[in-house]
Amino acid sequence: MNIAIMPARGGSKRIVRKNLKEFLGKPILSYPLHVLQQSDIFGRIVVSSDDDEILFVAKTLGAEPLLRPKELSDDFATTRDVVVHAIDALGLESDSNVCCIYPTAVLVCEKTLRDGQEALAHFAFSFPVVAYDYPIWRAFERDKKGALAMLYPQHLGARSQDLPRIWHDAGQFYWGAVRDWLGEIPLFGERSYGIELGAMDAQDIDTMDDWAIAELKYQLRICNNNLGQA
């Protein structure tokens, strides 16, 4: 069985009540929940939270609420900690697959979810990645006086197009078998598969600027889909 687990704590700091905040008129967590439900991939869709209101809204949206302990809802609890708690609380079988998906993954799509599931045939974990839009090899450190120093001075004379691409976590979801979530294999490592996304297909949301960009990307996707069907 495939189980989706959405970690949605109530105490977000940078954007207050982020996981319930209205995104284009609806609670933000409703968007990835809708994709999960429409995908027909998952036998169970669970929202893990320490917050009664979030659990209530999740239930009204058709998800299964799971109360999470307060000690797993602070700034130090990891995604893996939350998934392991859910696995234990739900009594999941070791050969089941868990997709941990964030409530702010408004740009997630069914194809990416399926690509992640299929990658588990060869990898322990899979998750979407996005290439940095500018080579980190040309990055600087900046001291208190504003003076700059290259982090990789050996690339001073290199053209940006000649430098290797570097990827980062897109912050949407993580697939893995229960036995691997409970094991010692690191989430980020050689046993993990990166599903390539374009810059328009993902947006990490930590600030209100990020939020506005995510809304624009979402609206543009709808516009493009409508044009494609015309």
Side-chain angles (χ1 to χ4, degrees):
M1 180 187 291
N2 296 319
I3 301 95
I5 297 173
M6 178 180 289
R9 67 176 182 148
S12 51
K13 297 291 194 300
R14 287 172 288 191
I15 300 176
V16 177
R17 305 293 288 166
K18 177 171 72 171
N19 294 326
L20 283 183
K21 183 176 172 62
E22 286 201 355
F23 182 95
L24 298 174
K26 296 189 294 185
I28 193 166
L29 58 73
S30 69
Y31 291 84
L33 281 178
H34 178 73
V35 175
L36 293 173
Q37 292 161 344
Q38 293 298 307
S39 72
D40 199 29
I41 296 173
F42 302 96
R44 299 174 75 176
I45 299 172
V46 178
V47 173
S48 166
S49 182
D50 62 319
D51 186 275
D52 289 338
E53 185 181 6
I54 290 176
L55 293 174
F56 174 79
V57 171
K59 187 174 182 178
T60 64
L61 293 171
E64 181 180 341
L66 176 64
L67 183 63
R68 190 199 316 170
K70 292 292 184 183
E71 60 268 23
L72 289 180
S73 303
D74 60 20
D75 293 335
F76 301 100
T78 68
T79 295
R80 196 165 197 157
D81 292 336
V82 175
V83 173
V84 168
H85 167 262
I87 288 171
D88 290 340
L90 298 170
L92 301 184
E93 300 288 341
S94 63
D95 59 348
S96 295
N97 294 323
V98 167
C99 179
C100 176
I101 183 166
Y102 289 141
T104 54
V106 292
L107 297 173
V108 72
C109 66
E110 180 180 335
K111 181 183 183 305
T112 313
L113 287 168
R114 291 193 181 278
D115 288 346
Q117 179 191 12
E118 292 171 4
L120 296 186
H122 306 286
F123 294 86
F125 296 104
S126 64
F127 53 88
V129 296
V130 179
Y132 283 96
D133 57 4
Y134 189 82
I136 66 169
W137 310 108
R138 303 297 299 275
F140 298 100
E141 287 183 308
R142 184 173 181 272
D143 67 18
K144 294 179 179 179
K145 295 181 179 180
L148 302 176
M150 286 194 71
L151 284 176
Y152 306 100
Q154 65 271 31
H155 295 300
L156 175 62
R159 300 186 307 168
S160 60
Q161 61 265 40
D162 294 332
L163 295 170
R165 298 181 82 188
I166 302 295
W167 306 81
H168 64 85
D169 178 7
Q172 288 190 347
F173 64 78
Y174 310 97
W175 270 105
V178 165
R179 61 180 175 274
D180 292 322
W181 281 108
L182 297 178
E184 301 298 326
I185 299 173
L187 185 57
F188 299 151
E190 60 183 15
R191 297 288 306 281
S192 295
Y193 176 77
I195 308 156
E196 180 178 351
L197 296 185
M200 293 300 293
D201 297 319
Q203 178 64 45
D204 201 16
I205 302 179
D206 289 324
T207 67
M208 288 310 298
D209 285 345
D210 295 336
W211 191 285
I213 293 170
E215 289 188 328
L216 290 172
K217 287 183 178 181
Y218 188 88
Q219 291 171 310
L220 184 58
R221 173 182 285 180
I222 292 174
C223 181
N224 289 339
N225 287 343
N226 289 340
L227 288 174
Q229 295 170 5

